[in-house]
Amino acid sequence: MKKTPFLTLEQVREIEKTYPTPYHIYDEKGIRDNIKRLQDAFSWNKGFKEYFAVKATPNPFLLEIFRDMGCGLDCSSYTELMMSEKLGVTGSDIMFSSNTTPVDEFVYASKLNATINLDDFTHIDFLEKCAGIPETISCRFNPGGIFTISNTIMDNPGDAKYGFTREQLFEGFRVLKQKGAKHFGIHSFLASNTTTNEYYPMLAKILFELAVELHDETGADIKFINLSGGIGIPYRPEQDPADIYEIAEGVRKAYEEILIPAGMDDVAIFTELGRFMTGPYGHLVTKAIHQKHIHKEYIGVDACAVNLMRPAMYGSYHHITVLGKEDRPLDHKYDVVGSLCENNDKFAVDRMLPEIENGDYLVIHDTGAHGFAMGYNYNGKLKSAELLLKEDGSVKMIRRAENPKDYFATFDFCDILA
């Protein structure tokens, strides 16, 4: 599959007149169309709701798109709850899924009447003491062991810090009922960034069977099953994307085989997708500013790991397009690097690209989730602007670039820049 940017060289040159590189830019039409596909794929379930994972791209202008299209928000911190409330998102439109949760976060989530998704058995008493047990509550399940989808895709729930064991979940439902909970949800997350179409149906089967057992043994009224996230995107051109329609059909079959015969045909299906919803619809646009010819060939760009840390942190692959040179041969081998005092500050290593000259614009693909959000300020570097390519083709700044005053604002001494 060829990766084609949603921006042209002409558009970037025009943007440069107002917003210098580097910047993250998001494709509004792409995001909206993807939300529509997800909702259409799961339309067989009357209660279906997507709770966009705020941590993936915590920008209120983007969150407003999800709100406008009937989605909820998945929050995991105090400030994410604040952002949601500011947008008018409260109550059951918020799923609060956190871990090692401080008191003030549970109190705030309770104040907003958010649906709280408990991560640990001990959090039941903790929540009761600080905020009370709500009538509707969810619990996160961790089955332990190794979760295997195929020979190449697996994850290790047994090594993850999240969730209740099976025994704790049954006891937790009983205890929560005694403390006043009336309606329940089940949540689980067993694999990350998988493009296989098998993951959600396999997870659904596990959770649907668990839901029937919980209902039968504890009498709990299970209102929803949250499949969480985990559906990934094809970062590499040779990867096939996940087919959300095939995924949803697999979940539907499991629903009809397990829940409907058990008389649980009113259970809503929730998702908490982040990367899948916005990842492909974000680019980091940067400019080549240096070339270095030593033991290897280097292209230095004006972005660095501060703007996108995934390659430095995980060795993750992000495809790169040199705008205006899309059809030229990939006959030059480069490391594409930033300016941090860290040797892992590399967007690409030994990447075959067309010949690059200073001033060329590079599009780094698939930065629409866990891109800007994971930014930091090492070396005193400042975070870039975020822009939105609107459906009408215009460009709107949705977060300005940081400046030195932002960097120094939290120091408790006289203004350095006064």
Side-chain angles (χ1 to χ4, degrees):
M1 181 185 74
K2 184 177 179 181
K3 280 191 172 288
T4 303
F6 57 76
L7 285 173
T8 65
L9 177 59
E10 290 71 25
Q11 285 175 299
V12 168
R13 284 174 173 163
E14 188 63 29
I15 292 169
E16 179 84 359
K17 295 175 183 178
T18 307
Y19 307 111
T21 54
Y23 54 79
H24 284 271
I25 187 166
Y26 309 99
D27 177 15
E28 180 180 9
K29 184 177 187 306
I31 293 170
R32 287 186 180 272
D33 287 348
N34 202 33
I35 296 170
K36 290 175 187 175
R37 283 192 292 271
L38 175 69
Q39 292 173 333
D40 185 50
F42 280 93
S43 60
W44 56 266
N45 182 261
K46 292 181 180 179
F48 174 75
K49 195 176 188 73
E50 155 66 4
Y51 288 83
F52 176 67
V54 175
K55 61 180 175 287
T57 322
N59 187 296
F61 289 89
L62 299 179
L63 302 184
E64 183 61 32
I65 292 173
F66 284 90
R67 180 178 181 272
D68 179 58
M69 298 196 67
C71 299
L73 298 178
D74 166 39
C75 298
S76 56
S77 70
Y78 196 95
T79 48
E80 289 180 358
L81 288 169
M82 288 178 67
M83 197 181 304
S84 300
E85 183 183 24
K86 189 70 174 177
L87 291 170
V89 180
T90 59
S92 61
D93 285 334
I94 297 176
M95 184 70 59
F96 182 63
S97 299
S98 63
N99 65 94
T100 315
T101 310
V103 167
D104 60 344
E105 296 189 1
F106 271 141
V107 170
Y108 193 11
S110 180
K111 173 190 167 188
L112 296 180
N113 293 315
T115 299
I116 293 174
N117 182 36
L118 287 178
D119 180 66
D120 184 67
F121 182 82
T122 65
H123 291 183
I124 296 173
D125 287 343
F126 188 85
L127 175 64
E128 182 181 34
K129 290 174 184 175
C130 69
I133 301 297
E135 288 194 355
T136 298
I137 196 161
S138 177
C139 294
R140 182 169 182 167
F141 173 55
N142 183 336
I146 303 291
F147 178 74
T148 303
I149 304 173
S150 67
N151 291 330
T152 57
I153 300 172
M154 61 183 64
D155 223 317
N156 187 0
D159 196 39
K161 66 174 181 174
Y162 310 106
F164 291 59
T165 66
R166 179 183 175 87
E167 294 75 17
Q168 288 174 338
L169 195 65
F170 279 80
E171 180 62 19
F173 271 43
R174 293 187 183 98
V175 171
L176 285 164
K177 279 189 68 180
Q178 292 169 3
K179 294 180 181 294
K182 292 184 171 58
H183 312 294
F184 292 82
I186 308 172
H187 171 287
S188 195
F189 181 92
L190 302 185
S192 178
N193 191 34
T194 171
T195 55
T196 176
N197 296 326
E198 302 167 18
Y199 169 56
Y200 256 16
M202 289 181 69
L203 174 61
K205 184 176 186 296
I206 292 169
L207 294 184
F208 293 167
E209 290 174 346
L210 179 64
V212 173
E213 292 182 56
L214 281 164
H215 173 73
D216 290 347
E217 292 191 26
T218 71
D221 176 28
I222 297 176
K223 288 295 187 184
F224 64 84
I225 292 174
N226 188 338
L227 300 177
S228 188
I231 300 178
I233 60 174
Y235 284 99
R236 296 177 179 270
E238 65 271 19
Q239 289 180 295
D240 293 324
D243 183 337
I244 197 61
Y245 284 95
E246 184 175 334
I247 290 168
E249 178 62 15
V251 175
R252 184 190 65 79
K253 288 179 179 177
Y255 191 100
E256 292 181 351
E257 290 171 3
I258 300 166
L259 290 182
I260 290 180
M264 299 173 67
D265 57 350
D266 60 345
V267 173
I269 301 299
F270 294 164
T271 57
E272 290 176 355
L273 297 167
R275 190 191 319 262
F276 179 79
M277 301 312 300
T278 57
Y281 311 108
H283 294 332
L284 173 59
V285 181
T286 184
K287 186 188 295 183
I289 58 174
H290 288 291
Q291 298 183 34
K292 188 168 186 173
H293 318 287
I294 50 170
H295 307 293
K296 301 181 75 172
E297 292 294 306
Y298 294 94
I299 296 296
V301 296
D302 58 6
C304 63
V306 161
N307 309 107
L308 177 67
M309 74 182 300
R310 294 187 73 253
M313 186 176 185
Y314 304 120
S316 303
Y317 179 95
H318 280 263
H319 197 65
I320 295 176
T321 296
V322 184
L323 290 179
K325 298 183 177 181
E326 292 89 342
D327 298 323
R328 295 194 188 179
L330 309 179
D331 54 5
H332 284 63
K333 184 186 289 188
Y334 296 116
D335 283 13
V336 179
V337 303
S339 58
L340 291 188
C341 299
E342 291 287 344
N343 196 45
N344 66 351
D345 183 19
K346 298 178 179 181
F347 294 114
V349 176
D350 293 335
R351 186 75 59 87
M352 298 305 297
L353 294 165
E355 184 176 11
I356 297 174
E357 302 165 281
N358 289 348
D360 281 348
Y361 294 100
L362 280 64
V363 163
I364 301 177
H365 291 252
D366 301 313
T367 68
H370 312 292
F372 180 94
M374 295 176 73
Y376 56 110
N377 290 113
Y378 183 61
N379 273 175
K381 295 290 185 177
L382 304 174
K383 296 178 187 175
S384 58
E386 291 183 290
L387 310 178
L388 181 65
L389 176 64
K390 296 179 68 64
E391 289 185 289
D392 63 7
S394 64
V395 173
K396 177 184 178 69
M397 182 173 68
I398 57 175
R399 191 195 304 265
R400 66 166 173 80
E402 290 183 336
N403 60 50
K405 285 188 176 180
D406 298 315
Y407 181 77
F408 293 118
T410 53
F411 286 111
D412 189 21
F413 58 86
C414 8
D415 244 348
I416 292 176
L417 300 181

